[in-house]
Structures are given as structure tokens and as C-alpha cells.
Amino acid sequence: MMKRPTLTHTNRRGYTLIELMFSIAFLSALVLGATLSFVNILGLYNRAQGLTRTQSAARDAISVLSRDLGHTSEIEVKNGPLTTTGASTNTVTCLKDDRGGVDRGYALLQMSDGKAHLARLQSCSSLNDYQLLVPSPVWSTSVSPSCTDAFTIEDANEGKAVEPKTWKVTVRVSHGERNPCDPDAANTDTFAASTVLTTHVVHQ
């Protein structure tokens, strides 16, 4: 007589609802942590890129200013409104060339986008054919009297009759929406960047 095979039943147990909830919560925490890390890394990258841009723009502006200041015997600050399409200013710093060249003007132009940009003017009395030295990064969101280092040129000899004449020039270039001249704006646009460069130029 043949023996009939017996069937064995294996108890198979699935996940309980509590185990599923813990698994989902754990995976959600992992995804959230990875997302926050990615956002932080991206923000740091953007800030580093903004700082690199401001440093490069500040160096370029200092380079152009230094070439003009090397032939400058006198600086005159002219006050009075100048306007052209999309730009205006109330103050022009006039660099007088002592070698028969053209006098150059420098000004922080208030542009139509509400930002202030440093510009090199072809003359001290007109905004025609101006050259923006910092076209992309922002100098400041407004021309503020408290932001004295946005653009300054000073006599490093303090008016003394000393040769050679030396000029001290300072420029600030900022990137982002935060106004570097406004201390109350410290908590806005945390990835904004700002660079201040100061150099001395000797009259050649």
C-alpha cells in the first residue's frame, strides 16, 4: 500500500501596520535629510559662486581705476543731476588727466532696475557712452549715505605737498538682494556675497 504524501503548511507572516509605519517614517527621514543636505550644499555653492563673481568684478574695477589714477593729478567731485535713458546720478568723481588726455568721470549710476552700478564716463559732465564696470553684481540696492565704501577715492598723502602723489581707492561689489549698507537686512538673502577691495595707486 502506497503512502500518501502529507502536505505541510508553512505559516507565512506579513508586515504589521506598525512595522510599515516605522519603515515609512525611517525612509521619509532619510529622504528629508538627503534633501536638506543637497539644499545646503547648493546654497553654499551659489554663495561661493557669488563671492567669486564679486571678487573678479572688484579686481577688474580696481584695474581700470588704477590705470586712470596713474595719470591723475587732481580729483574734483561734481554734484548735480545727470540723466540718460535708464540711468541717473547726482555725483560724479572727475579724474583730471595731467598729460593732456581726456578727463574721466566715475559715478554710481542708479539704474532702472533700482540697483546702483559703478560706471566709467567718457566725460565728467555727461552720461553719454558710459561703461558699466560691474554690469551683473550689485553695488547696493540703494545709494545709501552710510555705505561710504561703495566707491571712494582719497588723497593718501592727506593733502600734503608730497611727491609722488598717491591715491587710495576703495570699491565694494555685492551680489544678491541684500543691501550691504543696511544692517537691518542681515537676515534676508543669506546667500548674498560682498567684496570690498582697497588699493593705493602712485601717480606716474
Side-chain angles (χ1 to χ4, degrees), residues 73-124:
S73 59
E74 182 184 353
I75 291 178
E76 180 183 357
V77 177
K78 296 186 175 182
N79 296 313
L82 291 177
T83 60
T84 189
T85 304
S88 64
T89 187
N90 290 320
T91 304
V92 174
T93 302
C94 186
L95 279 56
K96 295 185 175 295
D97 194 311
D98 61 350
R99 299 188 178 181
V102 178
D103 296 344
R104 298 292 183 184
Y106 283 84
L108 282 172
L109 297 187
Q110 191 76 17
M111 309 301 290
S112 57
D113 61 0
K115 313 295 185 182
H117 301 264
L118 180 65
R120 181 176 184 258
L121 313 181
Q122 297 301 316
S123 73
C124 299

Side-chain angles (χ1 to χ4, degrees), residues 9 11 26 62 69-70 89 92-93 102 152 163 165-166 174 184 186 188 192 194:
H9 295 280
N11 290 331
F26 179 71
I62 286 284
L69 283 170
T89 187
V92 174
T93 302
V102 178
T152 59
E163 292 296 335
K165 183 179 284 292
T166 305
S174 299
D184 296 331
T188 61
S194 185

Side-chain angles (χ1 to χ4, degrees), residues 107-158:
L108 282 172
L109 297 187
Q110 191 76 17
M111 309 301 290
S112 57
D113 61 0
K115 313 295 185 182
H117 301 264
L118 180 65
R120 181 176 184 258
L121 313 181
Q122 297 301 316
S123 73
C124 299
S125 58
S126 172
L127 295 186
N128 293 334
D129 300 324
Y130 62 83
Q131 171 193 0
L132 286 180
L133 296 185
V134 188
S136 296
V138 179
W139 283 82
S140 62
T141 54
S142 63
V143 180
S144 171
S146 63
C147 196
T148 56
D149 60 352
F151 163 62
T152 59
I153 301 176
E154 304 170 280
D155 184 356
N157 297 328
E158 299 179 349

